[in-house]
Amino acid sequence: MAEATVIVTMFGRTGNWPDIRAGVRKQRAKCNLWVWDNRGGPTLRGADAQFMSPQNLICWPRWFIAAHAPTDLVVIADDDLVFGDRDVVGDLCDAVRRERPGTLVGAEGVSLRRGASYWPRERRLIECPADVKGGDSSVHVRNVVRDVRVDILKGRCIAARRSDLADLPLAPPYAVNGDDIVVSALIAGKRAKAHVVTASLTGRLKDCANARGPMALSALSGWREHRDAVRRHYFK
């Protein structure tokens, strides 16, 4: 029986699929491999399930797919990263189990400051290996040495309990292309720093050659302003 279901969001980077598939299939923890496919096909070889849309509905539907997974734990992943070794999923599952329900675990996130922008004021506060205490600027956390509690987990790689997804609304504000911020807020409820950037993933997710390129949502015009608007809608 599978321990987790990995849901890959696929749009224009199908050339990465063989490496993504191989990274999932080599996991010691048995995984289902599902695809949320915004291209409308054709069929991707080696997926256990492929959910296709003829138009790009972006990311929100992947959470509903995850809510119907046959496993208690799910891993959401983008189509521009590869699991770097055989224990990534197993260690992610262990990290989720250590946390209380209503906690997401992932590779990178944002520690907010009350009233501050989503975006840090200084370059040194981007991709920080720890939360910088004090100050009034948000901190973007990645490649941590120890687990760091954050308000928002970024959507490139997130693990969750399936049961935490069951009550997500169908169409909350900003869900279409702000899904990671929306899910982080809705699952946390009113808890601050509810989620975890886990040290167990540091150095173990490999970017594909086209990662963060023109196919990424971050390449869209007005992306920075949009992220800040979503943050201000859901967090004080």
Side-chain angles (χ1 to χ4, degrees), residues 116-162:
S117 170
Y118 173 87
W119 300 102
R121 291 183 176 179
E122 303 174 50
R123 183 174 294 276
R124 71 182 181 89
L125 301 179
I126 297 176
E127 298 193 357
C128 274
D131 193 0
V132 178
K133 302 300 182 182
D136 58 359
S137 174
S138 298
V139 180
H140 287 217
V141 178
R142 189 183 186 208
N143 293 328
V144 299
V145 178
R146 299 184 189 85
D147 290 359
V148 175
R149 304 206 75 88
V150 296
D151 300 286
I152 297 167
L153 275 183
K154 297 185 181 181
R156 295 191 74 214
C157 184
I158 296 177
R161 290 177 173 86
R162 181 192 58 194

Side-chain angles (χ1 to χ4, degrees), residues 2-235:
E3 183 171 353
T5 300
V6 178
I7 296 104
V8 177
T9 305
M10 182 68 66
F11 179 51
R13 296 181 280 210
T14 53
N16 298 340
W17 174 247
D19 290 336
I20 293 170
R21 180 186 62 209
V24 173
R25 294 306 186 201
K26 74 181 180 183
Q27 295 301 299
R28 261 193 271 260
K30 184 177 172 69
C31 301
N32 299 315
L33 177 53
W34 288 10
V35 179
W36 165 236
D37 184 356
N38 277 309
R39 306 164 307 127
T43 301
L44 292 169
R45 182 178 179 183
D48 296 315
Q50 183 174 351
F51 304 86
M52 293 185 281
S53 170
Q55 66 185 71
N56 185 5
L57 298 179
I58 314 184
C59 294
W60 187 245
R62 64 185 178 174
W63 298 100
F64 292 101
I65 292 169
H68 290 84
T71 55
D72 292 334
L73 300 176
V74 297
V75 178
I76 300 286
D78 281 358
D79 62 357
D80 60 355
L81 61 82
V82 174
F83 299 153
D85 63 66
R86 298 181 63 197
D87 293 311
V88 169
V89 171
D91 289 346
L92 252 180
C93 290
D94 289 343
V96 173
R97 293 188 186 103
R98 287 194 295 269
E99 300 294 331
R100 58 165 283 181
T103 303
L104 303 173
V105 176
E108 51 189 303
V110 182
S111 179
L112 297 172
R113 300 294 182 265
R114 187 177 181 89
S117 170
Y118 173 87
W119 300 102
R121 291 183 176 179
E122 303 174 50
R123 183 174 294 276
R124 71 182 181 89
L125 301 179
I126 297 176
E127 298 193 357
C128 274
D131 193 0
V132 178
K133 302 300 182 182
D136 58 359
S137 174
S138 298
V139 180
H140 287 217
V141 178
R142 189 183 186 208
N143 293 328
V144 299
V145 178
R146 299 184 189 85
D147 290 359
V148 175
R149 304 206 75 88
V150 296
D151 300 286
I152 297 167
L153 275 183
K154 297 185 181 181
R156 295 191 74 214
C157 184
I158 296 177
R161 290 177 173 86
R162 181 192 58 194
S163 57
D164 285 336
L165 310 179
D167 294 326
L168 290 176
L170 286 173
Y174 294 104
V176 173
N177 54 3
D179 70 301
D180 50 353
I181 301 176
V182 176
V183 167
S184 294
L186 294 178
I187 288 179
K190 296 184 178 181
R191 291 182 298 134
K193 305 292 183 284
H195 308 303
V196 176
V197 174
T198 176
S200 68
L201 286 183
T202 296
R204 301 172 68 192
L205 299 178
K206 308 301 182 185
D207 284 345
C208 298
N210 52 8
R212 306 175 193 268
M215 299 305 300
L217 289 174
S218 58
L220 295 174
S221 175
W223 179 244
R224 289 180 63 87
E225 294 78 7
H226 178 78
R227 296 288 282 184
D228 197 45
V230 184
R231 170 260 182 274
R232 293 188 184 281
H233 183 88
Y234 283 97
F235 295 91

